[in-house]
């Protein structure tokens, strides 16, 4: 059991149909943010929401294909980062499997996990592609100051990347959780990531009123 | 965005006619090689090959427009930061007051920018000459699950619809007095009222779509037939293998001291 149980493939038609919708939400999240001229990407709300609703595979595949499609249409540099989107979907799916989004401590843990996955994963890519910069002017100004001050490039690159991820993923997780709880109960139950296996006991029946 | 997401441009060039997998393998190998080769001259050679292919495909003008918009800010940022702060810096190129600019950083930034240029140009060349439907069809013929093919194709259709809907929701909310301009906190507060209705309405449609697909036999464990065959040739097969093998060969050469 344990963590691997979250990855058991439960891909019915409904879960597959959810994936393109999550991809579209990723795009819309980014488009609305740039329409409002917000200084954040907000392009993984669908990934996190899909993972909370239907598990790590739906979230991960949604993230992966979001990046593939954007690299084929608007931004080729998104392609190498598709692996990070996959990891964010997996992370959120594991969090969702354990029901982290239902408690306050869990929500904070989910946020921290996603920030860590995104920033630790992106840093080696930034080092390979951009010599450690993140391509965001404010972050790169921090990077320049730190390297100038004698910090090792990998650490400066990490802080550069994290300075973008910390606010970005906060809004992403908050919006995804708000939407999750805005959905009708009946709808959320359709996906039910969490399913009892044979050796787990059924919960006590609800008290009759 | 209303016209769909695809960048594909009709054409009859050699690249348009090539098998989608040949183009896919070419794109991936060229990008990998651009990051593996050791010096500026090798990267320039790859860039030159790409430029010739772009001209052959007849997409030069469109490519310059989209690639410049993407590459210019990145190149400027790289040249500014690395020339100013790179651990290898010691030869002064010029100094304006306290700001000193170094040669080594400039060289490193130029290499990084050229590699990214190769990545961007190779990817756009692929997108300009290949229909998205063709690449998913070709991959499905090689064993990609039809469900994944559906996901990609469906996403390409749903994304423009969702973006249209985002525009309509923005108009509707503004007519109710939602402020979408002004200070940053004001604009940030508008984010949720725009996203919530959008996401809820697009999610609720999924259940019907799933049922519609299932009654049409989606997910049945049957053997699928090919909609069409792509023209393939021995030359293309050899090219694919040669390109795919060039990448590990280049990595081994680098490990053995290729400078």
């Amino acid at each position: 059991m344990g963590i691997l149980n979250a990855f058991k493939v439960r891909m019915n038609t409904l879960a597959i149909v959810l994936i393109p919708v999550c991809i579209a939400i990723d795009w819309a999240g980014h488009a609305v943010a740039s329409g409002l001229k917000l200084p954040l990407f907000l392009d993984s709300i669908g990934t996190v929401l899909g993972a909370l609703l239907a598990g790590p595979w739906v979230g991960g595949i949604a993230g992966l294909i979001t990046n593939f499609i954007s690299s084929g249409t608007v931004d080729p540099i998104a392609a190498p980062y598709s692996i990070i989107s996959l990891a964010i979907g997996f992370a959120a799916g594991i969090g969702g499997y354990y029901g982290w989004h239902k408690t306050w401590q869990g929500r904070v843990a989910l946020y921290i996990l996603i920030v860590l996955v995104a920033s630790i994963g992106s840093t080696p890519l930034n080092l390979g592609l951009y010599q450690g910069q993140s391509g965001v002017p404010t972050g790169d100004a921090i990077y320049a100051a730190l390297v100038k001050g004698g910090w090792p490039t990998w650490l400066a690159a990490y802080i550069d990347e994290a300075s973008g991820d910390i606010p970005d993923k906060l809004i992403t997780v908050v919006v995804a959780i708000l939407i999750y709880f805005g959905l009708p109960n009946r709808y959320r139950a359709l996906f039910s990531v969490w399913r009892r296996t044979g050796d787990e006991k059924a919960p006590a029946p609800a008290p009759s009123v | 965005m209303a016209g769909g997401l695809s960048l594909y441009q009709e054409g009859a060039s050699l690249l348009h006619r090539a098998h989608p997998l040949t183009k896919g393998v070419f794109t991936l190998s060229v990008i990998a090689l651009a990051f593996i080769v050791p010096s500026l001259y090798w990267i320039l050679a790859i860039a030159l090959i790409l430029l010739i292919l772009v001209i052959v495909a007849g997409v030069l003008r469109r490519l310059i427009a989209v690639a410049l918009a993407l590459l210019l800010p990145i190149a400027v940022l790289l040249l500014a930061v690395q020339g100013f702060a790179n651990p290898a810096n010691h030869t002064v190129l010029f100094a304006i007051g306290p700001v000193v600019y170094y040669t080594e950083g400039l060289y490193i930034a130029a290499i990084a920018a050229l590699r990214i240029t190769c990545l961007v140009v190779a990817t756009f060349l692929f997108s300009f000459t290949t229909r998205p439907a063709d690449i998913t069809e070709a991959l499905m013929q090689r064993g990609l699950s039809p469900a994944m093919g559906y996901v990609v194709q469906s996403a390409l259709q749903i994304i423009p619809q969702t973006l249209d809907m985002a525009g309509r929701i923005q108009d509707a909310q503004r007519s109710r007095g939602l402020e979408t301009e002004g200070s940053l906190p004001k604009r940030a507060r508008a984010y949720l009222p725009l996203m919530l209705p959008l996401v809820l309405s697009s999610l609720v449609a999924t259940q019907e779509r799933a049922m519609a697909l299932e009654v049409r036999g989606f997910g049945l464990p049957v053997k699928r037939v090919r909609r069409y065959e792509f023209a393939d040739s021995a030359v293309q097969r050899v090219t694919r293998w040669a390109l795919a093998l060039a990448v590990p060969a280049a990595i081994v050469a680098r490990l053995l001291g290729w400078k």
Side-chain angles (χ1 to χ4, degrees):
Chain A
M1 294 309 104
I3 207 160
L4 285 178
N5 204 27
F7 284 90
K8 278 198 182 153
V9 182
R10 296 184 196 94
M11 281 296 202
N12 54 11
T13 308
L14 196 59
I16 291 168
V17 168
L18 184 66
I19 298 173
V21 175
C22 292
I23 297 171
I25 295 170
D26 280 343
W27 273 73
H30 181 64
V32 171
S34 32
L36 291 171
K37 300 191 188 67
L38 302 182
L40 300 169
F41 293 114
L42 301 181
D43 55 357
S44 41
I45 293 174
T47 305
V48 174
L49 182 65
L52 291 181
L53 271 174
W57 286 109
V58 168
I61 295 171
L64 190 73
I65 297 180
T66 299
N67 277 49
F68 281 161
I69 292 180
S70 66
S71 65
T73 51
V74 290
D75 180 13
I77 304 167
Y81 293 89
S82 50
I83 193 81
I84 311 302
S85 297
L86 178 77
I88 290 174
F90 280 177
I94 292 168
Y97 175 75
Y98 286 117
W100 287 3
H101 51 296
K102 290 171 187 156
T103 61
W104 281 108
Q105 309 93 293
R107 286 168 197 161
V108 175
L110 183 68
Y111 164 57
I112 293 172
L113 178 68
I114 290 176
V115 167
L116 287 177
V117 165
S119 53
I120 294 175
S122 302
T123 303
L125 290 172
N126 290 347
L127 283 167
L129 279 170
Y130 297 114
Q131 300 296 322
Q133 294 174 233
S134 66
V136 180
T138 29
D140 283 353
I142 299 173
Y143 173 86
L146 290 178
V147 172
K148 205 70 189 160
W151 290 49
T153 40
W154 62 268
L155 191 57
Y158 179 76
I159 294 170
D160 179 351
E161 174 65 36
S163 74
D165 282 331
I166 287 170
D168 190 58
K169 298 297 179 275
L170 175 67
I171 309 292
T172 301
V173 170
V174 166
V175 172
I177 289 177
L178 280 173
I179 293 171
Y180 179 90
F181 285 102
L183 287 169
N185 242 329
R186 201 186 107 267
Y187 187 83
R188 271 182 264 148
L190 285 176
F191 297 97
S192 63
V193 179
W194 198 88
R195 259 176 223 167
R196 259 185 312 283
T197 46
D199 52 339
E200 281 165 290
K201 276 202 199 98
S208 50
V209 183
Chain B
M1 284 281 176
L5 279 174
S6 170
L7 292 173
Y8 177 73
Q9 183 173 339
E10 287 293 337
S13 73
L14 182 71
L15 275 102
H16 285 83
R17 281 179 282 123
H19 192 285
L21 285 183
T22 312
K23 287 182 274 189
V25 171
F26 172 79
T27 308
L28 293 178
S29 312
V30 160
I31 292 169
L33 286 173
F35 281 86
I36 295 166
V37 295
S39 67
L40 189 62
Y41 299 105
W42 282 101
I43 305 174
L44 280 173
I46 292 176
L48 189 66
I49 295 171
L50 283 171
L51 182 66
I52 292 169
L53 287 171
V54 167
I55 295 170
V56 168
V59 291
L60 184 64
R61 196 174 296 176
R62 269 187 78 201
L63 188 118
I64 289 176
V66 285
L68 267 190
L70 201 66
L71 286 170
L72 218 52
I74 293 169
V76 168
L77 213 53
L78 268 171
L79 290 170
V81 170
Q82 297 299 327
F84 171 68
N86 187 292
N89 282 345
H90 61 90
T91 320
V92 177
L93 187 66
F94 62 83
I96 310 164
V99 182
V100 186
Y101 199 86
Y102 296 90
T103 319
E104 289 81 8
L106 174 71
Y107 183 72
I108 290 169
I111 287 189
L114 264 173
R115 283 183 166 147
I116 295 172
T117 307
C118 287
L119 186 156
V120 168
V121 171
T123 315
F124 274 135
L125 183 62
F126 178 78
S127 318
F128 280 148
T129 57
T130 317
R131 268 191 214 91
D134 285 355
I135 186 67
T136 43
E137 178 76 24
L139 285 174
M140 281 195 286
Q141 291 180 5
R142 297 296 160 106
L144 178 77
S145 120
M148 284 303 109
Y150 162 80
V151 167
V152 175
Q153 286 307 316
S154 158
L156 283 170
Q157 284 172 14
I158 296 177
I159 291 167
Q161 290 170 15
T162 311
L163 294 181
D164 277 352
M165 191 155 66
R168 283 202 299 279
I169 288 172
Q170 180 152 0
D171 290 344
Q173 297 286 51
R174 282 170 67 163
S175 75
R176 296 181 188 115
L178 182 78
E179 303 234 28
T180 57
E181 278 149 32
S183 65
L184 180 62
K186 209 176 247 176
R187 282 178 280 136
R189 265 201 298 277
Y191 191 73
L192 208 54
L194 293 177
M195 281 302 283
L196 265 178
L198 180 67
V199 173
L200 295 185
S201 55
S202 46
L203 278 178
V204 167
T206 54
Q207 207 183 348
E208 279 143 49
R209 203 173 296 136
M211 281 193 275
L213 281 168
E214 272 182 356
V215 295
R216 286 166 179 78
F218 184 85
L220 285 184
V222 292
K223 193 173 166 2
R224 319 264 153 177
V225 291
R226 294 177 181 192
R227 194 144 59 95
Y228 39 73
E229 297 274 343
F230 295 103
D232 204 355
S233 62
V235 178
Q236 291 202 49
R237 268 192 288 274
V238 172
T239 314
R240 284 204 290 269
W241 278 105
L243 283 166
L245 290 174
V247 175
I251 293 174
V252 170
R254 274 308 298 268
L255 291 175
L256 294 176
W258 177 25
K259 286 213 178 76

